[in-house]
């Protein structure tokens, strides 16, 4: 009983250290990678081959195919990527996830604590965040292997257990059972990298005859099951998402299940091939590398098989999850279209979504200002209400974006540069929300005030100038164009002059009985609110000075620039 307890505790403890180390390495590699990660992800918009490459490289950095798949689901759900592009990412992610197994296959047992010490020392004495992140990445790498070593030591007593050996022999003799075991393990642990690490350690444990306790032919079915189990995370992530997002998750499952159905019939031949391409030597010494090579070969072969038939996979998953036969309507302007909580763990991607949502909010507010200017001129109460609701809806989304950014800050995954630029972005979003609120105030006052025709024309001209300034501020924020920023500043000067001129004009109309004296307060209040809109436009420009712009957050900014012209 004591031996069994020690084995279980050692296995679970080693697994915990492994997953903790892998997550630490992944989180800090993201901080170190920074712009390089953005460049890799920019490939997502290219052809399928580059999509496969991007998926593989991204997964190699994130150390998780599930994270990359969830990322692709988020992009599709946010309408930033088409289904064929996302499927190519999934194919690449399945290749990228094999990197972990390849790293594990290296025998660096004697150097584990050196990595732990160097990583700790760098993170402890580092003066800059980048060096600290590098140190924590090295520390995570060391802990990853320390967890593997702990699991390996805890498995050694299993080699002398008749009960365990009998269970393993059942798995070896019945491949389907091995697939089930691998699937269940990965579903429970939620990490194929972790379960494959356990499999590599188990296979490297010698039995009574000195050979591997499970052997390569016994390990391959479990490996196939591990690949199926990792798709469960994607399926769970797609719950509540768009139909295309669900199709991405199904395509991930289809990829691995189809591979399992093909390879399970050729396990002996596949094992022979893997032994041929792997280093020679005693089975116990080389089987970890053989499992890693089997993992890589399986995913590379399946990617090559499916890559020319992405169109077919699109048809299959579309047939499985058909389009809903309802009339397509515009998205709710009061609900964020791009934000996805599942992507908070990938700040580069999350900030891309925030930038897209910010542009969308800005365009909604600009359209509301345009409609409001026309409604002020025509004294159209109904149109004032519509434009006011539109501005209020944009304000609600701005608040959702602010809350999302707060959660992103709370993850601690942003590097120093991202923190500074994101704080500026949050400031600009607050000003966009404030402009929406001011538009609502203008509409509320105008609805209950019977201004004269001339007064209404003045308010329309002021609102159109404010709209022009706001559009310029959004263009400046998107592109960092200093000319746009200059025009916004000039517009603010004109706004001050126009406001003074309009106030004087109103008083002349009051004196000539054209306007009611009782409307003076309302007229001045509307002008004051419009002037405050101009002030918020200046704040937006100042939040993104010079070369600083939304371009920093975006992988491809052409569509953003088009939307704010």
């Amino acid at each position: 009983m004591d031996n069994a307890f020690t084995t279980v505790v050692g296995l679970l403890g080693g697994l915990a250290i492994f997953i903790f180390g892998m997550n630490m390495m992944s989180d800090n590699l993201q901080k170190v990678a920074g712009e390089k990660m953005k460049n890799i992800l920019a490939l997502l918009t290219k052809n399928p081959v580059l999509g496969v490459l991007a998926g593989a490289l991204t997964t190699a950095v994130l150390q998780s195919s599930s994270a990359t798949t969830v990322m692709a689901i988020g992009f599709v759900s946010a309408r930033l990527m088409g289904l064929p592009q996302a499927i190519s990412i999934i194919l690449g992610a399945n290749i990228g996830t094999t990197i972990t197994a390849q790293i594990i296959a290296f025998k660096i047992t004697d150097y584990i604590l050196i990595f732990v010490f160097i990583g700790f020392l760098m993170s402890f004495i580092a003066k800059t965040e980048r060096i600290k992140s590098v140190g924590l990445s090295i520390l995570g790498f060391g802990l990853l292997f320390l967890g593997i070593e702990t699991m390996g030591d805890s498995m050694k007593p299993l080699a002398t257990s008749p009960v365990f050996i009998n269970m393993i022999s059942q798995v070896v003799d019945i491949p389907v059972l091995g697939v089930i075991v691998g699937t269940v393990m990965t579903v429970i642990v939620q990490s194929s990298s972790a379960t494959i690490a356990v499999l590599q350690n188990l296979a490297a444990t010698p039995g009574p005859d000195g050979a591997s306790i499970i052997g390569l032919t016994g390990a391959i079915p479990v490996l196939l099951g591990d690949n199926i189990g990792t798709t469960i995370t994607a399926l769970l992530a797609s719950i509540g998402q768009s139909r295309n997002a669900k199709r991405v998750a199904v395509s991930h499952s289809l990829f691995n299940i189809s591979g399992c159905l093909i390879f399970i019939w050729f396990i002996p031949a596949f094992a022979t091939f893997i032994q041929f391409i792997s280093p020679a030597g005693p089975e116990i010494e080389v089987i970890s590398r053989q499992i890693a090579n089997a993992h890589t070969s399986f995913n590379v072969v399946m990617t090559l098989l499916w890559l020319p038939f992405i169109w077919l996979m699109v048809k299959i998953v579309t047939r499985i999850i058909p389009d809903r036969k309802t009339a397509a309507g515009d998205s709710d302007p009061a609900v964020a279209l791009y934000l996805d909580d599942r992507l908070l763990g990938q700040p580069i991607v999350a900030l891309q979504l925030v930038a897209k949502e910010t542009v969308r909010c800005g365009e909604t507010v600009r359209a509301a200002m345009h409609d409001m200017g026309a409604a002020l001129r025509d004294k159209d109460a109904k149109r004032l209400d519509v434009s006011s609701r539109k501005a209020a809806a944009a304000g609600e989304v701005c608040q959702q974006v602010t809350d999302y950014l707060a959660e992103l800050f709370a993850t601690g995954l942003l590097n120093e540069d991202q923190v500074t630029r994101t704080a500026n972005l949050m400031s600009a979003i607050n000003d966009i929300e404030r402009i929406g609120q001011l538009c609502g105030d203008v509409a509320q006052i105008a609805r209950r005030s019977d201004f004269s025709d001339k007064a209404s024309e003045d308010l329309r001209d002021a609102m159109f100038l404010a709209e022009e300034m706001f559009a310029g501020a959004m263009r400046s924020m998107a592109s960092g164009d200093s000319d746009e920023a200059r025009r916004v500043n000039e517009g603010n000067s004109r706004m001050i002059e126009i406001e003074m001129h309009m106030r004087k004009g109103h008083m002349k109309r009051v004196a000539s009985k054209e306007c009611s004296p009782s409307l003076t307060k309302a007229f001045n209040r509307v002008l004051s609110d419009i002037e405050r809109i101009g002030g918020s436009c200046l704040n937006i420009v100042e939040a993104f000075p010079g070369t600083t712009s939304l371009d920093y957050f975006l992988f491809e900014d052409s569509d953003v620039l088009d939307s704010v012209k």
Side-chain angles (χ1 to χ4, degrees):
M1 180 63 72
D2 290 341
N3 288 337
F5 177 77
T6 302
T7 298
V8 171
V9 170
L11 182 60
L12 294 178
L15 184 62
I17 295 172
F18 173 87
I19 295 176
F20 178 78
M22 187 169 63
N23 289 338
M24 177 185 290
M25 183 172 66
S26 172
D27 292 345
N28 286 281
L29 280 174
Q30 289 186 69
K31 288 185 177 181
V32 174
E35 290 299 300
K36 294 183 179 64
M37 271 293 294
K38 190 172 76 171
N39 293 335
I40 292 173
L41 291 170
L43 295 174
L44 301 180
T45 59
K46 309 300 181 182
N47 61 56
V49 175
L50 291 178
V52 170
L53 178 61
L57 291 177
T58 303
T59 304
V61 172
L62 299 181
Q63 289 292 297
S64 172
S65 62
S66 295
T68 305
T69 303
V70 170
M71 188 189 307
I73 289 173
F75 272 128
V76 171
S77 183
R79 305 177 191 178
L80 301 179
M81 182 192 301
L83 184 57
Q85 293 170 306
I87 290 176
S88 70
I89 304 308
I90 299 301
L91 301 184
N94 281 280
I95 295 176
T97 194
T98 67
I99 299 299
T100 306
Q102 292 289 351
I103 293 173
I104 291 171
F106 287 103
K107 304 289 185 180
I108 60 170
T109 305
D110 296 337
Y111 309 101
I112 291 175
L113 295 181
I114 295 177
F115 282 106
V116 172
F117 176 73
I118 293 176
F120 167 77
L121 190 64
M122 288 180 65
S123 63
F124 187 73
I125 66 175
K127 299 298 183 181
T128 66
E129 186 189 26
R130 184 175 180 82
I131 299 300
K132 183 175 182 178
S133 295
V134 171
L136 289 174
S137 297
I138 296 173
L139 175 59
F141 182 76
L143 291 176
L144 183 151
F145 277 92
L146 183 62
I148 293 172
E149 182 70 8
T150 302
M151 285 189 290
D153 290 341
S154 67
M155 287 181 182
K156 289 179 181 178
L158 296 177
T160 59
S161 170
V163 175
F164 184 76
I165 292 174
N166 182 59
M167 290 173 57
I168 290 296
S169 65
Q170 296 293 321
V171 173
V172 174
D173 295 336
I174 308 174
V176 173
L177 184 58
V179 172
I180 294 173
V181 169
T183 302
V184 172
M185 286 174 59
T186 305
V187 168
I188 293 173
V189 178
Q190 288 290 292
S191 171
S192 62
S193 295
T195 53
I196 290 171
V198 173
L199 179 63
Q200 287 174 297
N201 272 281
L202 177 64
T205 303
D209 58 355
S212 169
I213 197 172
I214 189 172
L216 183 58
T217 55
I220 288 175
V222 180
L223 179 66
L224 298 178
D226 288 336
N227 280 277
I228 294 176
T230 194
T231 66
I232 302 300
T233 302
L235 290 172
L236 293 175
S238 70
I239 296 174
Q241 298 289 327
S242 66
R243 302 184 80 76
N244 264 348
K246 291 181 174 69
R247 290 166 182 162
V248 174
V250 171
S251 69
H252 191 204
S253 299
L254 182 61
F255 176 91
N256 286 293
I257 292 173
S258 64
C260 178
L261 292 176
I262 293 173
F263 275 76
I264 199 169
W265 299 102
F266 306 102
I267 289 176
F270 184 46
T272 301
F273 169 74
I274 294 301
Q275 290 168 343
F276 175 75
I277 66 172
S278 301
E283 184 181 39
I284 292 299
E285 298 294 328
V286 300
I287 194 167
S288 182
R289 174 65 61 195
Q290 289 175 349
I291 292 173
N293 289 343
H295 192 203
T296 301
S297 298
F298 167 81
N299 285 287
V300 169
V301 169
M302 290 308 302
T303 297
L304 293 176
L305 287 176
W306 272 113
L307 187 57
F309 300 103
I310 287 180
W311 60 270
L312 178 60
M313 185 175 285
V314 170
K315 283 192 173 184
I316 293 172
V317 296
T318 303
R319 180 65 64 87
I320 295 173
I321 305 178
D323 291 319
R324 185 180 291 118
K325 296 180 179 179
T326 56
D330 293 334
S331 57
D332 186 349
V335 177
L337 179 64
Y338 299 114
L339 305 184
D340 190 337
D341 290 341
R342 297 171 178 83
L343 298 176
L344 288 170
Q346 284 81 47
I348 292 290
V349 183
L351 289 173
Q352 156 92 345
L353 302 183
V354 167
K356 291 277 189 178
E357 199 68 65
T358 301
V359 171
R360 175 175 174 253
C361 286
E363 178 54 28
T364 302
V365 170
R366 189 209 58 76
M369 293 174 70
H370 182 80
D371 291 345
M372 190 165 292
L376 287 170
R377 175 197 60 201
D378 301 334
K379 303 180 186 179
D380 187 339
K382 183 176 180 180
R383 195 171 181 183
L384 278 173
D385 287 339
V386 172
S387 57
S388 177
R389 286 196 296 270
K390 187 181 294 185
E396 290 182 31
V397 175
C398 284
Q399 186 57 56
Q400 294 170 37
V401 175
T402 301
D403 294 341
Y404 189 82
L405 285 175
E407 292 181 26
L408 188 57
F409 275 115
T411 64
L413 296 176
L414 297 175
N415 59 37
E416 290 180 357
D417 191 33
Q418 288 171 333
V419 167
T420 300
R421 293 174 186 261
T422 303
N424 292 339
L425 178 59
M426 185 178 288
S427 174
I429 292 168
N430 289 337
D431 277 295
I432 294 173
E433 181 181 3
R434 187 177 299 114
I435 291 172
Q437 293 171 346
L438 290 170
C439 286
D441 292 343
V442 168
Q444 184 177 1
I445 296 172
R447 274 199 305 269
R448 60 173 185 255
S449 303
D450 186 19
F451 295 121
S452 67
D453 290 344
K454 179 56 180 170
S456 297
E457 289 179 7
D458 283 351
L459 295 179
R460 174 206 60 189
D461 292 342
M463 181 58 77
F464 280 166
L465 176 57
E467 179 200 348
E468 181 183 335
M469 289 179 62
F470 180 69
M474 292 301 296
R475 287 193 294 269
S476 175
M477 181 172 68
S479 64
D481 189 340
S482 58
D483 289 337
E484 290 286 359
R486 176 179 52 78
R487 283 191 282 270
V488 171
N489 277 279
E490 292 173 353
N492 191 60
S493 299
R494 291 206 315 274
M495 177 70 77
I496 295 173
E497 294 176 4
I498 288 174
E499 184 192 13
M500 292 298 297
H501 176 74
M502 290 179 177
R503 289 181 192 275
K504 291 178 180 179
H506 175 73
M507 297 311 298
K508 289 180 180 179
R509 290 191 296 275
V510 169
S512 63
K513 309 299 183 182
E514 289 183 59
C515 291
S516 170
S518 63
L519 293 176
T520 300
K521 181 178 179 181
F523 184 81
N524 288 338
R525 174 67 185 276
V526 171
L527 282 180
S528 178
D529 284 342
I530 294 175
E531 184 184 20
R532 290 168 66 192
I533 290 175
S536 290
C537 292
L538 281 179
N539 292 340
I540 293 172
V541 168
E542 291 171 358
F544 288 87
T547 57
T548 302
S549 69
L550 283 182
D551 186 29
Y552 172 81
F553 302 101
L554 296 164
F555 311 142
E556 296 286 338
D557 66 332
S558 58
D559 57 334
V560 175
L561 294 178
D562 289 342
S563 67
V564 296
K565 285 182 180 177

